[in-house]
Each structure stands twice: as structure tokens, then as C-alpha cells.
């Protein structure tokens, strides 16, 4: 591969996750956030099972121990059951554009969770990166509404519904903490695998498989408690909604994860992570073209600053 292969792959990941967010938004609006998550988890398990079967000879994770399952189960419950529930519902209120912007906070929550769970340090550089990320988000979601007299009096107003913002923050919290829990689970997994290189290479996919199992179980339990299992039948009859969530799954947990692993293999982790964090910026143009959303210069600036803040976590 050429010298820029890793960078190009990382950019492909950002594009893939942008496509995922857009299709996940439309699917959530058509079939509901809960049904979309159930179908997504089920399809992801099927795709991952096929991948593991062809690469390791088994359609499920092998060489796992109890600690691996405990940590990855906790990661699945945190990242999928809590985080993705918040994320898909935030799409219904503030859309995928702002939902993905709020997700830049996941690096902030991951850094804090790493400090408490893994004993990682919080250097001044990390604190600066947090401040820059928060500043970018504030620029995008805060402002004065034209013609709003109260805005002149009080100074600053939220441009988005508070519920949507809180759901976006919850989504970032779930992903950030879930990432740290997943890292701990994969550390135990690596110890149990030993020197089996083929299994070691597929370990992130096997970890995602375990997380998805508990994500699916959680979503099904929620549907049972809320008596919404019957909505699944309606969801499967919605061909457009089913198509959209299928594409969201293929481009997200499957292609996106695969390409992200390749990206860090062919370039530095910092560069790869920075490029892959471009989704909040890349999503602006398709949101304008396909959804006819008004994009202000302030929102573009806020998205760029947020991505810059995320990049500082990896390149400082």
C-alpha cells in the first residue's frame, strides 16, 4: 500500500460512520428507536458470526474466560443498551447532525472513565482537549434566537431542545464508558488467547460480538417491559425502514469497525483517530442536501472546533 493508505482508510471510516448516522436517523423515525436497535443488534450478530466463522473456524468467540465476559457484558449494557438508546432517541429530537456532534464528548467521558477504572492519568493536555471539545459544542448549540426578546435579556439560549441535548450527552457517556470497559475486557481476552495470532487479530470483532449479545438481550427486555414486541412485526413490514437500518448496520458495526482496525494498522493511532472523528463535519453537507437542513457558519465552526478538541486527545 502507498504512504497515505492508512489516512485514506481512516477517512473511509469517517464516511462510513456518517452514512450510518444518516440511515439510523431515518430508520428511527420510520420504525422507532427501539425496533431499530433490536434489528441492528440482531443483524450485527449474524454478520459478525459469519466473519468469525470464516476467519477463526468458529461462528462465536473462542478462548474467552469469565472476566472477559463480565467486562464485555458491562460494556455492551453501557454502550448499547444505555448509549445507543440515548443516541437513536436523540436523532428523533435533534437529528443525526447534532447527535454526532454531541458524540464528540465520548472522548471526554472515556478519559474520565479511564482515570477512575483503569488508573490512567488526566494530564493538562487532556484537560485542554476537553475544554476545546466542550467549547465547540457550546458554539453550535448556544446562541441568541432572532426576534426572541427574552434572549436579549438573558444573553444565551439553547438552540436545541434540552431533552435532545441530554440524550446526546447520555449517548456520549455510554460510548465513552463502554469503550473503557471494552478495553478492559479485551485485555483479559488477550491474556486468555495467548499466542494464537489468528484469534488475536479477530479479537475486537469477537469482543463486539459479546457486547452485541448483551445489547440485543437488553433491547428485547426493554421491548417486553414496554410491551412493544409487537412493533417488531410492523417494523419488518416497513421495507424502507428495514433497508435503512440494514445499511446503518452494515456501514457501522461491520464495515466501520473493520476499516478502523485497518486504519490503525497502516498509520499512527493518533492520526487515524483524528481523521475518523471527522463525522460531525462530514455530515453537514449531506444533511443540507438530503434533509434540507439550514447550516449556519456558527454550527460549522463549532463542529470543526469539536473535532479539533477530539484530535488533541490523540496527537498532544
Amino acid at each position: 500500500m502507498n504512504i497515505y493508505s492508512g489516512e485514506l482508510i481512516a477517512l473511509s471510516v469517517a464516511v462510513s460512520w456518517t452514512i450510518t448516522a444518516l440511515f439510523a436517523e431515518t430508520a428511527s423515525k420510520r420504525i422507532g428507536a427501539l425496533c431499530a436497535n433490536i434489528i441492528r443488534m440482531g443483524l450485527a450478530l449474524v454478520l459478525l458470526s459469519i466473519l468469525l466463522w470464516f476467519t477463526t473456524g468458529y461462528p462465536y468467540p473462542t478462548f474467552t474466560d469469565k472476566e472477559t465476559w463480565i467486562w464485555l457484558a458491562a460494556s455492551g449494557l453501557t454502550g448499547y443498551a444505555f448509549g445507543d438508546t440515548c443516541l437513536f432517541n436523540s436523532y428523533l429530537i435533534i437529528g443525526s447532525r447534532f447527535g454526532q456532534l454531541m458524540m464528540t464528548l465520548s472522548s471526554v467521558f472515556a478519559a474520565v472513565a479511564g482515570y477512575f477504572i483503569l488508573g490512567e492519568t488526566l494530564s493538562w493536555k487532556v484537560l485542554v482537549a476537553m475544554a476545546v471539545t466542550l467549547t465547540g459544542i457550546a458554539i453550535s448549540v448556544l446562541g441568541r434566537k432572532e426576534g426572541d426578546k427574552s434572549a436579549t435579556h438573558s444573553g444565551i439560549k439553547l438552540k436545541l431542545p434540552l431533552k435532545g441535548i441530554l440524550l446526546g450527552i447520555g449517548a456520549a457517556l455510554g460510548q465513552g464508558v463502554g469503550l473503557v470497559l471494552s478495553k478492559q475486557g479485551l485485555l483479559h481476552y488477550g491474556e486468555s488467547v495467548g499466542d494464537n495470532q489468528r484469534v488475536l487479530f479477530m479479537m475486537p470483532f469477537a469482543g463486539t460480538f459479546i457486547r452485541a449479545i448483551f445489547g440485543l438481550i437488553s433491547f428485547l427486555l426493554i421491548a417486553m417491559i414496554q410491551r412493544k414486541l409487537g412493533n417488531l412485526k410492523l417494523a419488518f413490514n416497513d421495507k424502507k425502514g428495514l433497508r435503512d437500518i440494514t445499511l446503518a448496520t452494515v456501514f457501522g458495526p461491520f464495515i466501520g469497525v473493520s476499516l478502523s482496525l485497518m486504519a490503525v494498522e497502516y498509520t499512527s493511532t493518533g492520526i487515524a483517530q483524528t481523521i475518523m472523528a471527522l463525522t460531525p463535519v462530514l455530515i453537514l453537507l449531506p444533511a443540507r442536501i438530503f434533509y434540507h437542513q439550514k447550516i449556519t457558519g456558527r454550527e460549522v465552526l463549532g463542529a470543526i472546533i469539536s473535532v479539533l478538541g477530539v484530535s488533541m486527545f490523540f496527537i498532544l
Side-chain angles (χ1 to χ4, degrees):
M1 289 193 175
N2 62 55
I3 191 172
Y4 296 112
S5 295
E7 288 80 356
L8 291 173
I9 294 171
L11 181 59
S12 298
V13 174
V15 172
S16 179
W17 286 340
T18 299
I19 295 172
T20 297
L22 292 169
F23 279 117
E25 178 184 350
T26 57
S28 296
K29 290 179 177 178
R30 291 189 65 88
I31 64 177
L34 183 56
C35 287
N37 271 312
I38 291 174
I39 295 172
R40 187 172 68 103
M41 288 294 97
L43 181 58
L45 281 171
V46 172
L47 294 174
L48 289 167
S49 181
I50 293 173
L51 178 63
L52 290 173
W53 195 359
F54 275 100
T55 54
T56 68
Y58 297 92
Y60 51 83
T62 54
F63 300 99
T64 55
D65 57 11
K66 183 178 68 175
E67 287 76 15
T68 298
W69 279 89
I70 290 174
W71 284 103
L72 291 177
S75 176
L77 294 173
T78 306
Y80 288 141
F82 175 73
D84 282 358
T85 293
C86 290
L87 180 62
F88 277 56
N89 279 287
S90 75
Y91 288 165
L92 299 177
I93 301 175
I94 60 177
S96 57
R97 177 163 61 95
F98 284 108
Q100 284 300 306
L101 176 65
M102 302 304 295
M103 287 298 284
T104 58
L105 284 173
S106 62
S107 294
V108 175
F109 289 122
V112 175
Y115 173 78
F116 286 105
I117 298 175
L118 302 180
E120 297 176 347
T121 58
L122 281 176
S123 66
W124 68 267
K125 295 178 181 179
V126 171
L127 295 176
V128 170
M130 290 181 181
V132 173
T133 302
L134 289 170
T135 299
I137 292 176
I139 288 174
S140 293
V141 304
L142 298 177
R144 292 183 178 181
K145 297 180 180 178
E146 295 182 4
D148 190 343
K149 295 180 180 179
S150 64
T152 303
H153 177 72
S154 60
I156 297 175
K157 289 284 186 179
L158 284 174
K159 297 195 300 180
L160 301 172
L162 178 60
K163 182 179 179 181
I165 292 176
L166 292 176
L167 285 169
I169 293 174
L173 174 64
Q175 185 181 78
V177 176
L179 177 65
V180 173
L181 295 173
S182 179
K183 180 178 179 179
Q184 186 70 5
L186 291 178
L187 287 174
H188 285 286
Y189 197 177
E191 292 174 358
S192 64
V193 169
D195 296 328
N196 192 321
Q197 294 300 315
R198 185 168 59 175
V199 176
L200 281 172
F201 180 75
M202 297 305 297
M203 201 166 58
F205 296 97
T208 303
F209 185 95
I210 295 173
R211 295 178 72 229
I213 288 175
F214 289 91
L216 178 59
I217 292 173
S218 300
F219 289 130
L220 287 172
L221 286 175
I222 293 171
M224 290 175 61
I225 293 171
Q226 296 181 353
R227 298 183 179 180
K228 291 184 177 180
L229 281 176
N231 292 352
L232 275 174
K233 183 177 180 180
L234 297 176
F236 278 105
N237 289 330
D238 188 328
K239 293 182 179 179
K240 189 175 185 304
L242 197 59
R243 180 205 66 187
D244 289 346
I245 197 59
T246 299
L247 289 171
T249 304
V250 171
F251 279 99
F254 195 63
I255 292 178
V257 171
S258 302
L259 291 178
S260 66
L261 294 175
M262 293 178 63
V264 296
E265 182 179 353
Y266 291 107
T267 189
S268 70
T269 301
I271 292 175
Q273 292 286 0
T274 299
I275 296 174
M276 289 187 292
L278 286 173
T279 299
V281 175
L282 296 180
I283 203 172
L284 294 174
L285 183 59
R288 178 70 181 88
I289 295 174
F290 298 112
Y291 296 155
H292 309 291
Q293 296 178 2
K294 181 181 178 181
I295 312 293
T296 67
R298 187 184 183 93
E299 291 167 359
V300 174
L301 176 62
I304 292 174
I305 292 176
S306 295
V307 170
L308 176 62
V310 174
S311 70
M312 292 171 67
F313 281 94
F314 306 103
I315 62 178
L316 284 180

PDB file of all heavy atoms in Angstrom, residues 63-93:
ATOM      1  N   PHE A  63     -11.801 -19.073  23.302  1.00  0.00           N
ATOM      2  CA  PHE A  63     -10.730 -18.761  24.267  1.00  0.00           C
ATOM      3  C   PHE A  63     -11.127 -17.652  25.251  1.00  0.00           C
ATOM      4  O   PHE A  63     -10.264 -16.954  25.782  1.00  0.00           O
ATOM      5  CB  PHE A  63      -9.424 -18.360  23.555  1.00  0.00           C
ATOM      6  CG  PHE A  63      -8.871 -19.417  22.658  1.00  0.00           C
ATOM      7  CD1 PHE A  63      -9.105 -19.365  21.287  1.00  0.00           C
ATOM      8  CD2 PHE A  63      -8.130 -20.469  23.161  1.00  0.00           C
ATOM      9  CE1 PHE A  63      -8.602 -20.336  20.439  1.00  0.00           C
ATOM     10  CE2 PHE A  63      -7.618 -21.449  22.326  1.00  0.00           C
ATOM     11  CZ  PHE A  63      -7.862 -21.391  20.966  1.00  0.00           C
ATOM     12  N   THR A  64     -12.405 -17.487  25.480  1.00  0.00           N
ATOM     13  CA  THR A  64     -12.841 -16.440  26.414  1.00  0.00           C
ATOM     14  C   THR A  64     -12.883 -16.986  27.840  1.00  0.00           C
ATOM     15  O   THR A  64     -13.117 -18.176  28.054  1.00  0.00           O
ATOM     16  CB  THR A  64     -14.238 -15.926  26.041  1.00  0.00           C
ATOM     17  OG1 THR A  64     -15.153 -17.027  25.987  1.00  0.00           O
ATOM     18  CG2 THR A  64     -14.219 -15.218  24.707  1.00  0.00           C
ATOM     19  N   ASP A  65     -12.645 -16.112  28.811  1.00  0.00           N
ATOM     20  CA  ASP A  65     -12.751 -16.509  30.207  1.00  0.00           C
ATOM     21  C   ASP A  65     -13.857 -15.688  30.883  1.00  0.00           C
ATOM     22  O   ASP A  65     -14.487 -14.827  30.265  1.00  0.00           O
ATOM     23  CB  ASP A  65     -11.419 -16.338  30.941  1.00  0.00           C
ATOM     24  CG  ASP A  65     -10.896 -14.906  30.871  1.00  0.00           C
ATOM     25  OD1 ASP A  65     -11.652 -14.010  30.445  1.00  0.00           O
ATOM     26  OD2 ASP A  65      -9.734 -14.683  31.253  1.00  0.00           O
ATOM     27  N   LYS A  66     -14.080 -15.942  32.158  1.00  0.00           N
ATOM     28  CA  LYS A  66     -15.174 -15.285  32.881  1.00  0.00           C
ATOM     29  C   LYS A  66     -14.996 -13.776  32.933  1.00  0.00           C
ATOM     30  O   LYS A  66     -15.958 -13.019  32.743  1.00  0.00           O
ATOM     31  CB  LYS A  66     -15.261 -15.852  34.301  1.00  0.00           C
ATOM     32  CG  LYS A  66     -16.410 -15.281  35.121  1.00  0.00           C
ATOM     33  CD  LYS A  66     -16.473 -15.925  36.502  1.00  0.00           C
ATOM     34  CE  LYS A  66     -15.282 -15.535  37.353  1.00  0.00           C
ATOM     35  NZ  LYS A  66     -15.394 -16.049  38.750  1.00  0.00           N
ATOM     36  N   GLU A  67     -13.765 -13.332  33.200  1.00  0.00           N
ATOM     37  CA  GLU A  67     -13.517 -11.893  33.303  1.00  0.00           C
ATOM     38  C   GLU A  67     -13.798 -11.189  31.979  1.00  0.00           C
ATOM     39  O   GLU A  67     -14.331 -10.074  31.955  1.00  0.00           O
ATOM     40  CB  GLU A  67     -12.064 -11.625  33.716  1.00  0.00           C
ATOM     41  CG  GLU A  67     -11.753 -11.935  35.171  1.00  0.00           C
ATOM     42  CD  GLU A  67     -11.632 -13.428  35.437  1.00  0.00           C
ATOM     43  OE1 GLU A  67     -11.512 -14.194  34.442  1.00  0.00           O
ATOM     44  OE2 GLU A  67     -11.654 -13.829  36.612  1.00  0.00           O
ATOM     45  N   THR A  68     -13.445 -11.847  30.868  1.00  0.00           N
ATOM     46  CA  THR A  68     -13.721 -11.273  29.544  1.00  0.00           C
ATOM     47  C   THR A  68     -15.211 -11.043  29.364  1.00  0.00           C
ATOM     48  O   THR A  68     -15.651  -9.959  28.938  1.00  0.00           O
ATOM     49  CB  THR A  68     -13.209 -12.204  28.431  1.00  0.00           C
ATOM     50  OG1 THR A  68     -11.792 -12.347  28.547  1.00  0.00           O
ATOM     51  CG2 THR A  68     -13.562 -11.645  27.055  1.00  0.00           C
ATOM     52  N   TRP A  69     -16.016 -12.043  29.693  1.00  0.00           N
ATOM     53  CA  TRP A  69     -17.468 -11.937  29.535  1.00  0.00           C
ATOM     54  C   TRP A  69     -18.053 -10.870  30.453  1.00  0.00           C
ATOM     55  O   TRP A  69     -18.947 -10.115  30.057  1.00  0.00           O
ATOM     56  CB  TRP A  69     -18.127 -13.291  29.797  1.00  0.00           C
ATOM     57  CG  TRP A  69     -18.067 -14.196  28.604  1.00  0.00           C
ATOM     58  CD1 TRP A  69     -17.072 -15.071  28.293  1.00  0.00           C
ATOM     59  CD2 TRP A  69     -19.037 -14.302  27.560  1.00  0.00           C
ATOM     60  NE1 TRP A  69     -17.347 -15.721  27.116  1.00  0.00           N
ATOM     61  CE2 TRP A  69     -18.559 -15.268  26.645  1.00  0.00           C
ATOM     62  CE3 TRP A  69     -20.258 -13.679  27.304  1.00  0.00           C
ATOM     63  CZ2 TRP A  69     -19.262 -15.628  25.492  1.00  0.00           C
ATOM     64  CZ3 TRP A  69     -20.966 -14.040  26.154  1.00  0.00           C
ATOM     65  CH2 TRP A  69     -20.467 -14.993  25.263  1.00  0.00           C
ATOM     66  N   ILE A  70     -17.552 -10.785  31.675  1.00  0.00           N
ATOM     67  CA  ILE A  70     -18.091  -9.806  32.624  1.00  0.00           C
ATOM     68  C   ILE A  70     -17.847  -8.376  32.142  1.00  0.00           C
ATOM     69  O   ILE A  70     -18.758  -7.545  32.105  1.00  0.00           O
ATOM     70  CB  ILE A  70     -17.465 -10.012  34.021  1.00  0.00           C
ATOM     71  CG1 ILE A  70     -17.975 -11.323  34.638  1.00  0.00           C
ATOM     72  CG2 ILE A  70     -17.796  -8.827  34.939  1.00  0.00           C
ATOM     73  CD1 ILE A  70     -17.305 -11.679  35.959  1.00  0.00           C
ATOM     74  N   TRP A  71     -16.598  -8.083  31.753  1.00  0.00           N
ATOM     75  CA  TRP A  71     -16.267  -6.732  31.318  1.00  0.00           C
ATOM     76  C   TRP A  71     -16.954  -6.371  30.012  1.00  0.00           C
ATOM     77  O   TRP A  71     -17.457  -5.246  29.852  1.00  0.00           O
ATOM     78  CB  TRP A  71     -14.751  -6.580  31.173  1.00  0.00           C
ATOM     79  CG  TRP A  71     -14.041  -6.439  32.487  1.00  0.00           C
ATOM     80  CD1 TRP A  71     -13.333  -7.397  33.147  1.00  0.00           C
ATOM     81  CD2 TRP A  71     -13.989  -5.267  33.309  1.00  0.00           C
ATOM     82  NE1 TRP A  71     -12.828  -6.916  34.327  1.00  0.00           N
ATOM     83  CE2 TRP A  71     -13.216  -5.602  34.465  1.00  0.00           C
ATOM     84  CE3 TRP A  71     -14.499  -3.984  33.197  1.00  0.00           C
ATOM     85  CZ2 TRP A  71     -12.955  -4.684  35.474  1.00  0.00           C
ATOM     86  CZ3 TRP A  71     -14.246  -3.066  34.209  1.00  0.00           C
ATOM     87  CH2 TRP A  71     -13.486  -3.411  35.326  1.00  0.00           C
ATOM     88  N   LEU A  72     -16.991  -7.305  29.068  1.00  0.00           N
ATOM     89  CA  LEU A  72     -17.620  -7.006  27.775  1.00  0.00           C
ATOM     90  C   LEU A  72     -19.143  -6.951  27.900  1.00  0.00           C
ATOM     91  O   LEU A  72     -19.799  -6.205  27.170  1.00  0.00           O
ATOM     92  CB  LEU A  72     -17.204  -8.041  26.726  1.00  0.00           C
ATOM     93  CG  LEU A  72     -15.729  -7.950  26.304  1.00  0.00           C
ATOM     94  CD1 LEU A  72     -15.379  -9.059  25.316  1.00  0.00           C
ATOM     95  CD2 LEU A  72     -15.427  -6.582  25.681  1.00  0.00           C
ATOM     96  N   ALA A  73     -19.692  -7.729  28.826  1.00  0.00           N
ATOM     97  CA  ALA A  73     -21.137  -7.638  29.083  1.00  0.00           C
ATOM     98  C   ALA A  73     -21.470  -6.258  29.643  1.00  0.00           C
ATOM     99  O   ALA A  73     -22.439  -5.607  29.222  1.00  0.00           O
ATOM    100  CB  ALA A  73     -21.569  -8.722  30.059  1.00  0.00           C
ATOM    101  N   ALA A  74     -20.639  -5.793  30.589  1.00  0.00           N
ATOM    102  CA  ALA A  74     -20.840  -4.456  31.155  1.00  0.00           C
ATOM    103  C   ALA A  74     -20.700  -3.387  30.073  1.00  0.00           C
ATOM    104  O   ALA A  74     -21.449  -2.403  30.046  1.00  0.00           O
ATOM    105  CB  ALA A  74     -19.833  -4.210  32.274  1.00  0.00           C
ATOM    106  N   SER A  75     -19.758  -3.605  29.163  1.00  0.00           N
ATOM    107  CA  SER A  75     -19.559  -2.673  28.059  1.00  0.00           C
ATOM    108  C   SER A  75     -20.775  -2.647  27.133  1.00  0.00           C
ATOM    109  O   SER A  75     -21.207  -1.581  26.681  1.00  0.00           O
ATOM    110  CB  SER A  75     -18.306  -3.054  27.268  1.00  0.00           C
ATOM    111  OG  SER A  75     -18.149  -2.223  26.143  1.00  0.00           O
ATOM    112  N   GLY A  76     -21.327  -3.827  26.845  1.00  0.00           N
ATOM    113  CA  GLY A  76     -22.498  -3.912  25.982  1.00  0.00           C
ATOM    114  C   GLY A  76     -23.709  -3.233  26.590  1.00  0.00           C
ATOM    115  O   GLY A  76     -24.455  -2.517  25.913  1.00  0.00           O
ATOM    116  N   LEU A  77     -23.893  -3.435  27.891  1.00  0.00           N
ATOM    117  CA  LEU A  77     -25.023  -2.812  28.586  1.00  0.00           C
ATOM    118  C   LEU A  77     -24.867  -1.291  28.621  1.00  0.00           C
ATOM    119  O   LEU A  77     -25.837  -0.549  28.440  1.00  0.00           O
ATOM    120  CB  LEU A  77     -25.139  -3.365  30.006  1.00  0.00           C
ATOM    121  CG  LEU A  77     -25.507  -4.846  30.127  1.00  0.00           C
ATOM    122  CD1 LEU A  77     -25.428  -5.297  31.578  1.00  0.00           C
ATOM    123  CD2 LEU A  77     -26.913  -5.094  29.573  1.00  0.00           C
ATOM    124  N   THR A  78     -23.632  -0.845  28.836  1.00  0.00           N
ATOM    125  CA  THR A  78     -23.380   0.594  28.917  1.00  0.00           C
ATOM    126  C   THR A  78     -23.404   1.262  27.546  1.00  0.00           C
ATOM    127  O   THR A  78     -24.054   2.296  27.351  1.00  0.00           O
ATOM    128  CB  THR A  78     -22.017   0.866  29.584  1.00  0.00           C
ATOM    129  OG1 THR A  78     -21.967   0.213  30.844  1.00  0.00           O
ATOM    130  CG2 THR A  78     -21.790   2.358  29.763  1.00  0.00           C
ATOM    131  N   GLY A  79     -22.668   0.660  26.608  1.00  0.00           N
ATOM    132  CA  GLY A  79     -22.538   1.276  25.298  1.00  0.00           C
ATOM    133  C   GLY A  79     -23.751   1.123  24.407  1.00  0.00           C
ATOM    134  O   GLY A  79     -24.153   2.070  23.716  1.00  0.00           O
ATOM    135  N   TYR A  80     -24.355  -0.069  24.423  1.00  0.00           N
ATOM    136  CA  TYR A  80     -25.505  -0.325  23.553  1.00  0.00           C
ATOM    137  C   TYR A  80     -26.834  -0.029  24.249  1.00  0.00           C
ATOM    138  O   TYR A  80     -27.613   0.817  23.796  1.00  0.00           O
ATOM    139  CB  TYR A  80     -25.489  -1.771  23.066  1.00  0.00           C
ATOM    140  CG  TYR A  80     -24.417  -2.066  22.049  1.00  0.00           C
ATOM    141  CD1 TYR A  80     -23.720  -3.273  22.067  1.00  0.00           C
ATOM    142  CD2 TYR A  80     -24.087  -1.143  21.065  1.00  0.00           C
ATOM    143  CE1 TYR A  80     -22.733  -3.546  21.130  1.00  0.00           C
ATOM    144  CE2 TYR A  80     -23.100  -1.402  20.132  1.00  0.00           C
ATOM    145  CZ  TYR A  80     -22.436  -2.616  20.163  1.00  0.00           C
ATOM    146  OH  TYR A  80     -21.457  -2.882  19.243  1.00  0.00           O
ATOM    147  N   ALA A  81     -27.118  -0.736  25.351  1.00  0.00           N
ATOM    148  CA  ALA A  81     -28.423  -0.609  25.999  1.00  0.00           C
ATOM    149  C   ALA A  81     -28.679   0.832  26.467  1.00  0.00           C
ATOM    150  O   ALA A  81     -29.774   1.364  26.281  1.00  0.00           O
ATOM    151  CB  ALA A  81     -28.518  -1.568  27.181  1.00  0.00           C
ATOM    152  N   PHE A  82     -27.659   1.459  27.049  1.00  0.00           N
ATOM    153  CA  PHE A  82     -27.828   2.840  27.507  1.00  0.00           C
ATOM    154  C   PHE A  82     -27.434   3.836  26.422  1.00  0.00           C
ATOM    155  O   PHE A  82     -28.229   4.698  26.033  1.00  0.00           O
ATOM    156  CB  PHE A  82     -27.000   3.088  28.769  1.00  0.00           C
ATOM    157  CG  PHE A  82     -27.034   4.510  29.234  1.00  0.00           C
ATOM    158  CD1 PHE A  82     -28.170   5.033  29.835  1.00  0.00           C
ATOM    159  CD2 PHE A  82     -25.930   5.345  29.057  1.00  0.00           C
ATOM    160  CE1 PHE A  82     -28.215   6.355  30.253  1.00  0.00           C
ATOM    161  CE2 PHE A  82     -25.955   6.664  29.471  1.00  0.00           C
ATOM    162  CZ  PHE A  82     -27.105   7.174  30.077  1.00  0.00           C
ATOM    163  N   GLY A  83     -26.206   3.724  25.920  1.00  0.00           N
ATOM    164  CA  GLY A  83     -25.689   4.703  24.971  1.00  0.00           C
ATOM    165  C   GLY A  83     -26.481   4.791  23.680  1.00  0.00           C
ATOM    166  O   GLY A  83     -26.869   5.877  23.246  1.00  0.00           O
ATOM    167  N   ASP A  84     -26.729   3.645  23.044  1.00  0.00           N
ATOM    168  CA  ASP A  84     -27.430   3.673  21.758  1.00  0.00           C
ATOM    169  C   ASP A  84     -28.917   3.977  21.911  1.00  0.00           C
ATOM    170  O   ASP A  84     -29.531   4.517  20.985  1.00  0.00           O
ATOM    171  CB  ASP A  84     -27.233   2.348  21.025  1.00  0.00           C
ATOM    172  CG  ASP A  84     -25.863   2.268  20.368  1.00  0.00           C
ATOM    173  OD1 ASP A  84     -25.114   3.256  20.462  1.00  0.00           O
ATOM    174  OD2 ASP A  84     -25.537   1.235  19.766  1.00  0.00           O
ATOM    175  N   THR A  85     -29.486   3.636  23.053  1.00  0.00           N
ATOM    176  CA  THR A  85     -30.873   4.041  23.305  1.00  0.00           C
ATOM    177  C   THR A  85     -30.953   5.570  23.326  1.00  0.00           C
ATOM    178  O   THR A  85     -31.844   6.169  22.710  1.00  0.00           O
ATOM    179  CB  THR A  85     -31.384   3.483  24.640  1.00  0.00           C
ATOM    180  OG1 THR A  85     -31.475   2.058  24.537  1.00  0.00           O
ATOM    181  CG2 THR A  85     -32.764   4.037  24.974  1.00  0.00           C
ATOM    182  N   CYS A  86     -30.001   6.186  24.017  1.00  0.00           N
ATOM    183  CA  CYS A  86     -29.948   7.646  24.054  1.00  0.00           C
ATOM    184  C   CYS A  86     -29.667   8.222  22.666  1.00  0.00           C
ATOM    185  O   CYS A  86     -30.300   9.200  22.243  1.00  0.00           O
ATOM    186  CB  CYS A  86     -28.870   8.114  25.027  1.00  0.00           C
ATOM    187  SG  CYS A  86     -29.242   7.826  26.764  1.00  0.00           S
ATOM    188  N   LEU A  87     -28.720   7.612  21.943  1.00  0.00           N
ATOM    189  CA  LEU A  87     -28.313   8.134  20.641  1.00  0.00           C
ATOM    190  C   LEU A  87     -29.461   8.114  19.640  1.00  0.00           C
ATOM    191  O   LEU A  87     -29.759   9.123  18.991  1.00  0.00           O
ATOM    192  CB  LEU A  87     -27.132   7.325  20.097  1.00  0.00           C
ATOM    193  CG  LEU A  87     -26.603   7.769  18.733  1.00  0.00           C
ATOM    194  CD1 LEU A  87     -26.070   9.194  18.793  1.00  0.00           C
ATOM    195  CD2 LEU A  87     -25.516   6.813  18.242  1.00  0.00           C
ATOM    196  N   PHE A  88     -30.118   6.970  19.494  1.00  0.00           N
ATOM    197  CA  PHE A  88     -31.185   6.844  18.497  1.00  0.00           C
ATOM    198  C   PHE A  88     -32.373   7.727  18.852  1.00  0.00           C
ATOM    199  O   PHE A  88     -33.046   8.244  17.961  1.00  0.00           O
ATOM    200  CB  PHE A  88     -31.603   5.379  18.360  1.00  0.00           C
ATOM    201  CG  PHE A  88     -30.717   4.582  17.454  1.00  0.00           C
ATOM    202  CD1 PHE A  88     -29.348   4.500  17.681  1.00  0.00           C
ATOM    203  CD2 PHE A  88     -31.230   3.896  16.366  1.00  0.00           C
ATOM    204  CE1 PHE A  88     -28.511   3.774  16.857  1.00  0.00           C
ATOM    205  CE2 PHE A  88     -30.406   3.164  15.516  1.00  0.00           C
ATOM    206  CZ  PHE A  88     -29.046   3.102  15.767  1.00  0.00           C
ATOM    207  N   ASN A  89     -32.633   7.903  20.147  1.00  0.00           N
ATOM    208  CA  ASN A  89     -33.718   8.795  20.539  1.00  0.00           C
ATOM    209  C   ASN A  89     -33.323  10.265  20.366  1.00  0.00           C
ATOM    210  O   ASN A  89     -34.191  11.108  20.101  1.00  0.00           O
ATOM    211  CB  ASN A  89     -34.132   8.526  21.990  1.00  0.00           C
ATOM    212  CG  ASN A  89     -35.054   7.328  22.112  1.00  0.00           C
ATOM    213  OD1 ASN A  89     -36.230   7.377  21.747  1.00  0.00           O
ATOM    214  ND2 ASN A  89     -34.525   6.210  22.608  1.00  0.00           N
ATOM    215  N   SER A  90     -32.035  10.552  20.479  1.00  0.00           N
ATOM    216  CA  SER A  90     -31.588  11.928  20.229  1.00  0.00           C
ATOM    217  C   SER A  90     -31.768  12.273  18.753  1.00  0.00           C
ATOM    218  O   SER A  90     -32.066  13.430  18.417  1.00  0.00           O
ATOM    219  CB  SER A  90     -30.123  12.108  20.645  1.00  0.00           C
ATOM    220  OG  SER A  90     -29.226  11.516  19.723  1.00  0.00           O
ATOM    221  N   TYR A  91     -31.580  11.279  17.874  1.00  0.00           N
ATOM    222  CA  TYR A  91     -31.799  11.508  16.452  1.00  0.00           C
ATOM    223  C   TYR A  91     -33.226  11.973  16.177  1.00  0.00           C
ATOM    224  O   TYR A  91     -33.478  12.762  15.261  1.00  0.00           O
ATOM    225  CB  TYR A  91     -31.546  10.221  15.656  1.00  0.00           C
ATOM    226  CG  TYR A  91     -30.090   9.825  15.538  1.00  0.00           C
ATOM    227  CD1 TYR A  91     -29.729   8.544  15.126  1.00  0.00           C
ATOM    228  CD2 TYR A  91     -29.065  10.722  15.829  1.00  0.00           C
ATOM    229  CE1 TYR A  91     -28.400   8.177  15.001  1.00  0.00           C
ATOM    230  CE2 TYR A  91     -27.739  10.358  15.715  1.00  0.00           C
ATOM    231  CZ  TYR A  91     -27.411   9.077  15.299  1.00  0.00           C
ATOM    232  OH  TYR A  91     -26.093   8.714  15.173  1.00  0.00           O
ATOM    233  N   LEU A  92     -34.179  11.463  16.953  1.00  0.00           N
ATOM    234  CA  LEU A  92     -35.581  11.810  16.745  1.00  0.00           C
ATOM    235  C   LEU A  92     -35.864  13.260  17.135  1.00  0.00           C
ATOM    236  O   LEU A  92     -36.833  13.861  16.639  1.00  0.00           O
ATOM    237  CB  LEU A  92     -36.482  10.883  17.561  1.00  0.00           C
ATOM    238  CG  LEU A  92     -36.411   9.393  17.231  1.00  0.00           C
ATOM    239  CD1 LEU A  92     -37.308   8.592  18.166  1.00  0.00           C
ATOM    240  CD2 LEU A  92     -36.799   9.138  15.779  1.00  0.00           C
ATOM    241  N   ILE A  93     -35.036  13.808  18.018  1.00  0.00           N
ATOM    242  CA  ILE A  93     -35.300  15.155  18.545  1.00  0.00           C
ATOM    243  C   ILE A  93     -34.386  16.208  17.920  1.00  0.00           C
ATOM    244  O   ILE A  93     -34.856  17.277  17.488  1.00  0.00           O
ATOM    245  CB  ILE A  93     -35.130  15.169  20.077  1.00  0.00           C
ATOM    246  CG1 ILE A  93     -36.094  14.169  20.718  1.00  0.00           C
ATOM    247  CG2 ILE A  93     -35.365  16.575  20.634  1.00  0.00           C
ATOM    248  CD1 ILE A  93     -35.914  14.015  22.208  1.00  0.00           C
TER     249      ILE A  93
END
